[in-house]
Amino acid sequence: MESELKDLNSKPAKIQQPDTTHDDTSSKDDRPLLKADSSSTAAAAANIHELEKKFAAYVRNDVYGTMGRGELPLKEKIMLGISLVTLLPLRIVFGMSLVVVYYLICRICTMFSAPNQEEEEEGYAHLGGWRRAVIVRSGRFLSRSLLFVVGFYWITETHKDSANTKENSKTEGTHQLEEQERPGAIVSNHVSYLDILYHMSSSFPSFVAKRSVAKIPLVGLISKCLGCVYVQRESKSSDFKGVAGVVTDRVREAHHNGSAPMMLLFPEGTTTNGDYLLSFKTGAFLAGAPVVPVILRYPYQRFSPAWDSITGVRHVVFLLCQFVNHMEVMHLPTYYPSQQEKDDPKLYANNVRRLMATEGNLIMSDIGLAEKRIYHAALNAAINPGS
């Protein structure tokens, strides 16, 4: 991708500079940044302002304010009240109906079939023939239908020109071009749980999920049909292969086997407010296979669909009460790594991140999940000083 990297030099990505006025928290991830001060509302507000400067990637800037607990204008209160008694119950009923329908389809298609029982995997992605076709096609259709029910009536999609990618491939020979025809993974920025629904409707990939997801009613079977790789952090046995090893194998398999589902990976490891791009973990790049970068944005006027620093229940309720939600998707050309990038996954990850930040006009930030937890704990302490 030499030509793409040259282009990036003339259009540098925005980078959030670290705040040197704060102490280093790398060795104190689970300690709150501030103590609760119940004697002064002004002091609490000042503390929140300081937090927002340091943890800008997780700050909510919508009408609903910090953690979705801001003081709403009268007009917004009226609109929210009307939606709570009309729009919310309708969307819950229709949404759950779609989930149940797809669960029944998956149940029928997996009858008399044994799930794959490999380490960190327990799914039905290995199914072929009409069963797999029905699971994939109905899954894509119903995922898009669910997004429609939630309020995403239109999704704006753009596909970047792949001329540079094709040119680079030709210079490396026909044999390598043939190997590079199919990527092994989709790498996407992570803004909300809605990201997964979009990718299901677009390409129906496999993804990484918590082990507990496999046991959730309805959703568990659906995740197995997607071929999810389950995270089991508590396992420390000597023969435990690990998530990274399983993901690498799956990426390689998808790259070489046209019938295998591609992996969807969020290399940031957590969600942001959509304006930033965090540091990339190397899991998606260890296999050295080509990847498809995808950038998601959720433009808003009232409530932001980003799931950053707001509780899940509160987010779902406010999202369903918003009549129209917006999503913009940018598909970048398949990124074919150079030999140097294949040998150095960190370099590969950084170059893809830089490309995505530049093309998506995102600000690069080096904070991560540990800082997000600190931010959440500090916000709770500032907003609920007595708890």
Side-chain angles (χ1 to χ4, degrees):
M1 298 297 293
E2 294 179 2
S3 62
E4 289 189 7
L5 294 177
K6 288 179 181 178
D7 291 339
L8 292 178
N9 290 331
S10 60
K11 188 170 61 171
K14 294 180 288 185
I15 302 176
Q16 181 189 24
Q17 298 296 333
D19 188 347
T20 57
T21 61
H22 295 270
D23 293 335
D24 179 22
T25 58
S26 59
S27 60
K28 315 179 230 185
D29 288 345
D30 33 348
R31 193 177 72 182
L33 291 181
L34 52 86
K35 295 181 180 179
D37 181 9
S38 58
S39 63
S40 174
T41 303
N47 285 332
I48 291 177
H49 180 67
E50 288 299 314
L51 288 171
E52 289 177 345
K53 288 197 300 183
K54 182 170 184 178
F55 303 108
Y58 308 125
V59 175
R60 296 191 68 80
N61 299 305
D62 61 6
V63 175
Y64 288 76
T66 303
M67 300 185 77
R69 300 181 182 181
E71 181 64 28
L72 297 178
L74 178 60
K75 179 181 177 181
E76 187 66 29
K77 289 181 179 178
I78 295 174
M79 294 175 66
L80 180 60
I82 294 173
S83 297
L84 282 171
V85 298
T86 57
L87 200 57
L88 178 64
L90 287 175
R91 283 180 166 172
I92 290 177
V93 170
F94 282 117
M96 286 304 301
S97 298
L98 290 174
V99 173
V100 170
V101 167
Y102 189 51
Y103 168 81
L104 293 176
I105 291 173
C106 291
R107 176 60 66 191
I108 292 171
C109 290
T110 55
M111 289 179 64
F112 312 114
S113 298
N116 182 16
Q117 295 289 348
E118 292 183 10
E119 195 171 34
E120 292 305 313
E121 300 179 75
E122 183 186 349
Y124 296 94
H126 63 286
L127 293 178
W130 68 269
R131 295 171 184 264
R132 185 62 185 170
V134 171
I135 288 174
V136 172
R137 291 176 185 175
S138 61
R140 293 181 63 176
F141 174 77
L142 292 173
S143 296
R144 182 62 187 93
S145 300
L146 186 54
L147 284 172
F148 185 89
V149 168
V150 173
F152 293 94
Y153 308 122
W154 305 275
I155 297 178
T156 303
E157 298 186 78
T158 57
H159 294 261
K160 281 287 187 175
D161 184 17
S162 59
N164 290 337
T165 301
K166 292 178 180 177
E167 182 180 347
N168 289 345
S169 298
K170 289 178 182 178
T171 62
E172 297 181 18
T174 304
H175 179 65
Q176 189 169 358
L177 176 61
E178 291 176 352
E179 288 185 341
Q180 293 177 340
E181 285 181 350
R182 189 173 197 262
I186 299 167
V187 291
S188 174
N189 65 320
H190 203 8
V191 185
S192 174
Y193 49 82
L194 298 163
D195 303 347
I196 295 175
L197 273 180
Y198 167 75
H199 287 291
M200 284 180 63
S201 70
S202 176
S203 55
F204 206 78
S206 300
F207 58 92
V208 177
K210 293 181 180 179
R211 168 62 65 180
S212 57
V213 171
K215 299 178 182 179
I216 298 176
L218 304 180
V219 176
L221 178 61
I222 294 174
S223 71
K224 293 177 183 180
C225 288
L226 279 160
C228 288
V229 174
Y230 297 109
V231 176
Q232 188 177 355
R233 294 187 179 93
E234 66 273 13
S235 179
K236 301 293 183 182
S237 60
S238 59
D239 60 343
F240 182 67
K241 187 175 183 179
V243 175
V246 176
V247 168
T248 300
D249 290 345
R250 292 282 295 275
V251 171
R252 286 200 185 103
E253 181 185 6
H255 176 43
H256 295 295
N257 181 1
S259 62
M262 281 199 297
M263 286 295 300
L264 166 64
L265 296 164
F266 300 107
E268 295 170 283
T270 189
T271 54
T272 69
N273 59 16
D275 296 326
Y276 290 79
L277 198 63
L278 308 181
S279 297
F280 278 11
K281 301 182 185 302
T282 58
F285 310 95
L286 294 173
V291 297
V292 179
V294 177
I295 302 167
L296 302 177
R297 280 190 176 277
Y298 297 86
Y300 64 91
Q301 292 182 345
R302 296 166 50 217
F303 177 74
S304 170
W307 190 28
D308 34 37
S309 55
I310 182 172
T311 62
V313 173
R314 187 180 295 266
H315 187 278
V316 170
V317 170
F318 289 160
L319 180 75
L320 295 181
C321 286
Q322 187 159 252
F323 182 71
V324 179
N325 290 295
H326 302 278
M327 183 189 299
E328 296 176 353
V329 185
M330 179 184 294
H331 297 264
L332 299 183
T334 299
Y335 191 106
Y336 299 116
S338 64
Q339 188 57 51
Q340 184 181 8
E341 289 170 324
K342 291 180 180 179
D343 296 337
D344 186 352
K346 186 64 177 176
L347 174 66
Y348 187 6
N350 288 338
N351 286 344
V352 173
R353 179 193 181 212
R354 186 181 176 194
L355 174 66
M356 292 176 65
T358 303
E359 296 294 337
N361 195 29
L362 301 172
I363 304 170
M364 293 198 296
S365 175
D366 292 331
I367 61 177
L369 180 58
E371 288 80 5
K372 187 176 187 178
R373 288 170 175 164
I374 294 172
Y375 178 54
H376 283 191
L379 282 182
N380 279 313
I383 294 177
N384 304 304
S387 59

